[in-house]
Amino acid sequence: MVGGNIFLCRKHSWPPEEYISKATLLLFDFDSAAPPEQAWRRRLNSHANILKEFSVTFMEAVRMVRLGIRLWSYIREEASHGRKAPIDPFTRESCKPSASQGVPLGGMGSGSISRGFRGEFRQWQIIPGTREASPVMANQFSIFISRDGGNKHYASVLAPGQHEGLGKAGDDGLSSWGWNLSGQHSTYHALFPRAWTIYDGEPDPELKISCRQISPFIPNNYRDSSLPTAVFVYTLVNTGKERAKVSLLFTWANSVGGISHLSGDHVNEPFIGEDGVSGVLLHHKTAKGNPPVTFAVAACETQNVSVTVLPCFGLSEGSSATAKNVWDIMMKDGQFDRENFNYGPSMPSSPGESLCAAVSASAWVEPHGKCTVSFALAWSSPKVKFLKGSSYHRRYTKFYGTSEKAAQNMVHDALMNYKHWEEEIEKWQSPILKDERLPEWYKFTLFNELYFLVAGGTVWIDSLPPASNTRDDRNAENTDDYTTTASYLSNDETVVNQNGNTNESQLYFTPMDSRIDSDDVGRFLYLEGVEYIMWCTYDVHFYASFALLALFPKIELNIQRDFAKAVLSEDGRKVKFLAEGNTGIRKVRGAVPHDLGTHDPWNEMNAYNIHDTSRWKDLNPKFVLQVYRDFAATGDMSFGIDVWPAVRAAMEYMGQFDRDGDSLIENDGFPDQTYDTWTVHGVSAYCGGLWLAALQAAATMAIQLGDRPFAELCKSKFLKAKLAYEEKLWNGSYYNYDSGSSSNSKSIQADQLAGQWYTASSGLTSLFDEFKIRSALQKVYDFNVMKIRGGRMGAVNGMHPNGKVDETSMQSREIWTGVTYAVAATMIHAGMEKEGFAAAEGIFNAGWSEEGYGYWFQTPEAWTIDGHFRSLIYMRPLAIWGMQWAISMPKAILEAPKINIMDRIHISPGSSGFFHHETRVRKVANNANCFGNSVFNCAC
């Protein structure tokens, strides 16, 4: 249980000397072995408390009982087809979530493995959409030390204490190893994508050890950032008077976690590679027909470092070599027989048998001397196979191919290139770390929240044709409830046909195929969260996308192209919506999809089926706002022209939701936006504000692309809608939650200025008078932030004007981590930096600090005021990069002419409704040499 001091203490930084002696830090002051001044830190003997999940109240349960019954039936139906429903609140992981996480391994989009701050490898996500949370305890680093004269010996696994699942003491399994590390003098330091573990005299008081973990997450490097590999660099400093022989052992199980660990047919194979890189390949045959995986574990042999391997050992008494044998050999000799390299591939493992491998690197360290030992891990699963869709090749195969040797080549290159990676990482991070304007907690939290781009179930594929065109038979889908798309589309529309393939001849535009090779960065997916298995959930991407735009802008533009293509398509198969029990079609033309799908992304969108998201009021405006922000920030005219037909279609689609002709959209009395349990009536501050911002963004983009009639139309609607918005919602202090007459219509919504956030982020003129913006934000700060535990938890979503939390729904009473970061960014844009950082610091205090609830490297979507979480490892907290965007706006926006483009739009008579005019846009396209007139073949 967390004590109340979380709300009393205030700690802005964690100087490394509070965790490591200055003398030890000086010893590591070379070759990046010392942890940085700004990092997230933990002692290895820190307790990893079990996290507490939220629960619904009795009244919430009553309101959601019908949804619960329908959801339960849907989950069972999906399970009968061998599929997992995208949302399943009824099934719990066998491994209870704990405060044990650390920096994950690898680049983006090729599967991920997390490594806890105490050293365990856990959270396996090699297979898309599948997560195995439990650690594989055979995966460890261990150390063996002997000194001249033979009177001093030390041996220990480099992870503290005993762990569950090790078996009984005295057997031939992992419990026979020396789990001797207390962790009292060992510390973990995290600054994503790197981490440092410092063993300050453990287990040998006269040996200082630094383990540096490095992954190739490098902004604007679209090659190395896709590689599934990580390097572990051990720096050894001998402070004693005797020479020490030090052997480091890296053990690895042939496993991806879960049921395939013991499924059999796994094979291990030793190898000697170039440049002294040697190790073992572990060929893993996954369960349930998933593509195979090959691991490579290796070390780099140098003049002073000798590398040996034991290609195979088991964890039970019947194995030819057991875990106990491994430990005994290392205790006696500190290395394995070099003849082991001559063994070929092992016999396939039997069902029920654990197959593991070991790599040892040994070196002599002179008195007061230093030595570096480097290990690497890589995994290669070249094919991504979705349950109902095509198979694709992962992005890294563009550079390493699809053979089983790819993993061996990657560990070699990782060991050769990691210093260059570090140089690039430091060059990227240094300006922010040295920015004295920024609080210390913010600097390392900013980088560490990026963990999600690796551990958030990301998939990055090559944009060449699919790995195979073999697809599952979909005849079962084409019942009366699942109508094929073609019957809903005319011949000039984008078609997702009965087989799930796109009819290329009918595309409006081809977001990928027309890119030149140097600009081809493939296609990218990331999950809403590891508990909400939907790819690129768009209402949440609205918050998270600042990270991709800032660091990997080409990926961000391609995600927008994917959604632009989706806007102009339709999928007429019938879907049952679980909240209301009604049916509708899966994807409506003109509506932005909620997500790109689950089991067949890009082809079968809208895996979310709680509500009919074609009636949501935030998705289309969010698409227009993100497109304009990206267009303004990158200055990419070809991108703007690519997506313009979809922007127009998305705006036109929203006209149906203006019920009273005031040009302002209305909500429909159900949770028709990202807050999908929080009902809205009439005009809402959130959706209405997004709509106003979208009208301004669309008008501005239209002017820049030469579509003046559409710009005039949007301006006309904007002026009329803004008057209605102010009249219906402004109460003299803030904007009411909605214009209805419900008990929470006057609630203070933390996110009420989301539209203004994007307006400011894109360099557009403010939607409202400055005093109204600051007044509304001050109200949010005073009530939603400061009235919740003194501001130490972030911003609660809803607050009544009497100072009580709005408990109308589950979500109104929650604190959303990503929304708090977004509100903080809006405050920074408005010149309220102090309030913005104070609000965001609440997320740090509750989620990341030592006194917090333990949500580091698994930041949830939400927590309650008592700290119970909902949905760990979630996309939206990447919105902290919206704060950095506000602090350091890109040059393209900062240096744009300070002219209110809306003032330059003169409304012509008759500009009263959406209509079609593209002549000027065609001319702009031709002048820009962008794809010719084929871009504009739609009748949108």
Side-chain angles (χ1 to χ4, degrees):
M1 181 176 291
V2 178
N5 62 343
I6 180 177
F7 307 112
L8 300 177
C9 70
R10 187 176 186 86
K11 193 168 188 176
H12 295 276
S13 64
W14 294 332
E17 55 267 23
E18 290 188 12
Y19 289 75
I20 314 169
S21 69
K22 288 186 177 180
T24 299
L25 283 170
L26 286 172
L27 292 174
F28 289 129
D29 190 21
F30 72 102
D31 192 33
S32 301
E37 291 184 11
Q38 296 93 359
W40 179 89
R41 312 188 198 281
R42 277 296 173 279
R43 300 188 189 280
L44 262 61
N45 64 345
S46 298
H47 177 62
N49 57 289
I50 300 298
L51 307 180
K52 296 182 178 179
E53 192 167 7
F54 85 106
S55 59
V56 297
T57 66
F58 175 76
M59 289 306 300
E60 289 166 353
V62 169
R63 286 194 292 267
M64 292 192 291
V65 65
R66 290 187 178 88
L67 168 61
I69 293 170
R70 296 186 192 112
L71 182 56
W72 172 253
S73 298
Y74 170 69
I75 291 167
R76 292 183 65 186
E77 173 68 17
E78 286 293 281
S80 71
H81 294 291
R83 300 189 294 261
K84 185 176 181 179
I87 301 174
D88 181 2
F90 304 108
T91 303
R92 292 290 176 264
E93 297 282 349
S94 58
C95 177
K96 292 183 178 180
S98 63
S100 58
Q101 297 291 75
V103 174
L105 308 174
M108 300 189 298
S110 296
S112 70
I113 306 164
S114 290
R115 191 174 184 227
F117 73 89
R118 297 183 299 180
E120 69 275 17
F121 294 86
R122 57 194 311 135
Q123 296 287 352
W124 301 78
Q125 294 189 88
I126 307 295
I127 300 165
T130 300
R131 176 177 64 115
E132 299 292 345
S134 299
V136 175
M137 294 308 298
N139 298 346
Q140 297 290 344
F141 284 100
S142 302
I143 194 166
F144 303 83
I145 307 158
S146 62
R147 293 187 175 270
D148 276 355
N151 58 342
K152 292 181 181 178
H153 295 277
Y154 304 92
S156 180
V157 179
L158 288 175
Q162 287 283 344
H163 292 264
E164 294 181 11
L166 295 183
K168 298 178 181 179
D171 67 13
D172 289 335
L174 298 178
S175 63
S176 64
W177 291 2
W179 299 86
N180 304 317
L181 199 79
S182 73
Q184 182 178 358
H185 302 293
S186 302
T187 52
Y188 180 84
H189 312 257
L191 188 65
F192 179 89
R194 296 188 292 171
W196 293 253
T197 306
I198 307 298
Y199 304 91
D200 195 356
E202 288 189 275
D204 180 346
E206 295 181 324
L207 187 69
K208 311 296 184 181
I209 308 166
S210 167
C211 173
R212 190 160 90 256
Q213 173 187 311
I214 307 147
S215 292
F217 181 99
I218 305 164
N220 292 302
N221 182 330
Y222 295 92
R223 181 190 188 279
D224 293 353
S225 296
S226 72
L227 304 183
T229 186
V231 177
F232 305 91
V233 181
Y234 280 85
T235 303
L236 311 171
V237 181
N238 183 3
T239 62
K241 298 178 180 179
E242 302 163 310
R243 191 169 68 142
K245 182 181 180 182
V246 180
S247 297
L248 286 158
L249 179 68
F250 189 17
T251 52
W252 197 258
N254 195 323
S255 172
V256 294
I259 61 174
S260 68
H261 181 80
L262 301 174
S263 58
D265 284 337
H266 310 316
V267 174
N268 290 0
E269 177 184 6
F271 69 88
I272 297 178
E274 298 177 352
D275 301 309
V277 176
S278 304
V280 182
L281 296 174
L282 299 89
H283 306 291
H284 184 81
K285 183 179 180 181
T286 55
K288 298 183 178 179
N290 287 304
V293 181
T294 296
F295 292 97
V297 288
C300 189
E301 190 161 81
T302 66
Q303 186 175 0
N304 188 43
V305 178
S306 174
V307 176
T308 57
V309 302
L310 184 64
C312 300
F313 71 90
L315 303 180
S316 58
E317 188 174 342
S319 305
S320 57
T322 66
K324 186 176 188 302
N325 295 147
V326 170
W327 198 262
D328 290 344
I329 292 171
M330 292 299 297
M331 287 285 289
K332 179 175 179 287
D333 301 325
Q335 61 187 22
F336 302 111
D337 191 334
R338 292 197 67 87
E339 289 296 315
N340 291 345
F341 281 116
N342 297 327
Y343 294 160
S346 68
M347 293 294 292
S349 62
S350 301
E353 177 187 4
S354 290
L355 188 64
C356 306
V359 177
S360 169
S362 304
W364 285 96
V365 188
E366 299 297 326
H368 307 292
K370 301 173 182 178
C371 180
T372 298
V373 179
S374 300
F375 293 88
L377 166 71
W379 57 94
S380 177
S381 183
K383 189 179 290 188
V384 176
K385 180 182 179 183
F386 294 104
L387 282 176
K388 294 167 66 177
S390 297
S391 295
Y392 304 92
H393 285 139
R394 296 188 193 263
R395 166 75 174 172
Y396 77 88
T397 63
K398 185 180 182 74
F399 317 108
Y400 284 89
T402 60
S403 79
E404 293 180 340
K405 295 295 183 182
Q408 179 180 333
N409 293 333
M410 282 191 285
V411 288
H412 169 271
D413 290 357
L415 287 166
M416 296 299 105
N417 296 331
Y418 74 85
K419 290 184 179 180
H420 173 67
W421 291 346
E422 287 195 289
E423 290 173 2
E424 294 300 307
I425 291 167
E426 289 170 3
K427 187 187 301 181
W428 156 47
Q429 294 182 337
S430 181
I432 293 173
L433 296 176
K434 292 179 179 177
D435 191 338
E436 295 182 355
R437 300 173 300 166
L438 304 177
E440 296 298 300
W441 66 264
Y442 168 81
K443 295 175 183 179
F444 54 80
T445 306
L446 177 74
F447 291 113
N448 285 334
E449 288 284 18
L450 290 171
Y451 85 93
F452 188 84
L453 290 177
V454 171
T458 54
V459 171
W460 193 356
I461 67 166
D462 190 4
S463 58
L464 292 174
S468 74
N469 290 316
T470 303
R471 308 180 64 87
D472 295 337
D473 186 358
R474 281 195 175 167
N475 290 337
E477 304 288 351
N478 296 323
T479 64
D480 291 340
D481 292 328
Y482 286 85
T483 308
T484 59
T485 314
S487 62
Y488 285 88
L489 296 176
S490 63
N491 289 333
D492 64 344
E493 292 181 272
T494 302
V495 175
V496 178
N497 66 26
Q498 182 171 344
N499 294 321
N501 296 317
T502 305
N503 185 337
E504 297 293 342
S505 66
Q506 296 172 335
L507 292 179
Y508 291 112
F509 54 97
T510 53
M512 298 292 184
D513 300 338
S514 53
R515 302 277 83 78
I516 62 174
D517 187 65
S518 62
D519 289 332
D520 178 12
V521 298
R523 306 179 85 176
F524 188 84
L525 299 168
Y526 64 148
L527 291 176
E528 178 177 339
V530 298
E531 298 175 31
Y532 297 161
I533 308 172
M534 294 165 283
W535 300 110
C536 293
T537 298
Y538 201 74
D539 54 308
V540 186
H541 181 67
F542 176 78
Y543 296 83
S545 58
F546 283 91
L548 284 173
L549 179 59
L551 306 177
F552 297 94
K554 291 181 180 179
I555 289 178
E556 166 63 13
L557 295 189
N558 277 353
I559 290 175
Q560 302 293 36
R561 287 185 173 101
D562 282 341
F563 275 92
K565 180 179 176 181
V567 168
L568 299 172
S569 69
E570 184 160 300
D571 184 342
R573 287 171 291 182
K574 295 291 182 65
V575 175
K576 183 175 183 178
F577 302 112
L578 304 179
E580 293 83 15
N582 60 321
T583 59
I585 68 172
R586 178 175 289 277
K587 168 66 181 68
V588 177
R589 186 182 185 279
V592 173
H594 172 273
D595 55 80
L596 292 178
T598 291
H599 299 306
D600 191 7
W602 298 298
N603 295 316
E604 185 180 271
M605 294 168 283
N606 281 334
Y608 178 93
N609 61 348
I610 305 297
H611 301 288
D612 181 356
T613 58
S614 67
R615 296 176 58 204
W616 275 19
K617 309 307 183 294
D618 63 336
L619 289 168
N620 282 39
K622 283 176 174 176
F623 171 71
V624 174
L625 289 171
Q626 288 185 73
V627 162
Y628 180 75
R629 177 206 57 190
D630 297 351
F631 177 63
T634 62
D636 190 331
M637 183 65 72
S638 65
F639 165 74
I641 294 170
D642 262 1
V643 300
W644 181 244
V647 170
R648 286 194 52 153
M651 293 298 291
E652 291 166 359
Y653 181 86
M654 294 301 292
Q656 64 184 296
F657 302 122
D658 174 14
R659 314 295 187 190
D660 53 10
D662 62 359
S663 295
L664 188 61
I665 62 171
E666 283 85 34
N667 293 81
D668 283 330
F670 75 102
D672 49 357
Q673 26 81 42
T674 194
Y675 301 90
D676 58 353
T677 69
W678 197 1
T679 298
V680 199
H681 300 276
V683 176
S684 74
Y686 184 71
C687 296
L690 291 171
W691 174 241
L692 288 180
L695 284 167
Q696 182 177 214
T700 307
M701 191 170 179
I703 283 292
Q704 292 170 321
L705 292 177
D707 193 348
R708 181 168 289 276
F710 194 77
E712 293 177 9
L713 170 61
C714 290
K715 178 179 179 179
S716 173
K717 288 184 172 293
F718 173 82
L719 294 175
K720 189 175 181 181
K722 183 179 176 182
L723 288 175
Y725 185 90
E726 298 274 12
E727 179 183 343
K728 293 179 179 180
L729 296 176
W730 180 251
N731 62 21
S733 178
Y734 62 93
Y735 292 95
N736 290 335
Y737 176 68
D738 64 29
S739 63
S741 56
S742 62
S743 60
N744 70 321
S745 289
K746 290 185 168 57
S747 286
I748 308 160
Q749 184 179 12
D751 213 3
Q752 62 185 269
L753 291 181
Q756 171 58 29
W757 172 35
Y758 258 72
T759 295
S761 297
S762 306
L764 295 170
T765 305
S766 292
L767 295 177
F768 314 112
D769 294 336
E770 182 180 347
F771 87 90
K772 289 184 177 179
I773 295 170
R774 292 178 67 93
S775 174
L777 290 173
Q778 189 66 48
K779 195 76 173 182
V780 169
Y781 180 74
D782 291 342
F783 280 68
N784 302 59
V785 176
M786 296 307 296
K787 289 186 181 296
I788 304 299
R789 304 291 181 92
R792 311 301 292 164
M793 294 198 73
V796 70
N797 283 334
M799 180 72 81
H800 290 296
N802 64 2
K804 293 184 178 180
V805 173
D806 182 348
E807 297 189 350
T808 304
S809 75
M810 176 184 76
Q811 292 174 343
S812 62
R813 63 182 173 89
E814 289 180 330
I815 294 159
W816 282 13
T817 52
V819 166
T820 298
Y821 287 142
V823 170
T826 312
M827 291 175 174
I828 293 169
H829 281 297
M832 300 171 64
E833 293 87 354
K834 180 180 177 182
E835 291 84 354
F837 279 107
E841 190 178 3
I843 303 302
F844 163 76
N845 281 305
W848 287 85
S849 74
E850 284 193 13
E851 298 81 13
Y853 296 106
Y855 298 131
W856 46 80
F857 300 102
Q858 53 187 333
T859 316
E861 156 76 318
W863 52 63
T864 58
I865 59 175
D866 57 0
H868 291 202
F869 75 88
R870 180 171 62 80
S871 188
L872 292 172
I873 312 181
Y874 195 81
M875 182 198 292
R876 203 181 322 246
L878 285 170
I880 193 172
W881 280 85
M883 295 177 65
Q884 189 60 26
W885 190 269
I887 294 163
S888 304
M889 296 274 279
K891 285 185 179 181
I893 292 177
L894 286 175
E895 296 178 359
K898 303 303 178 185
I899 301 171
N900 185 351
I901 291 183
M902 296 292 275
D903 291 342
R904 295 167 52 191
I905 302 172
H906 303 290
I907 301 173
S908 304
S911 296
S912 58
F914 284 119
F915 57 94
H916 316 298
H917 184 88
E918 291 165 354
T919 304
R920 281 287 297 148
V921 189
R922 292 173 186 268
K923 187 174 181 180
V924 171
N926 290 333
N927 291 342
N929 296 318
C930 298
F931 314 116
N933 294 337
S934 62
V935 173
F936 304 100
N937 288 338
C938 62
C940 50

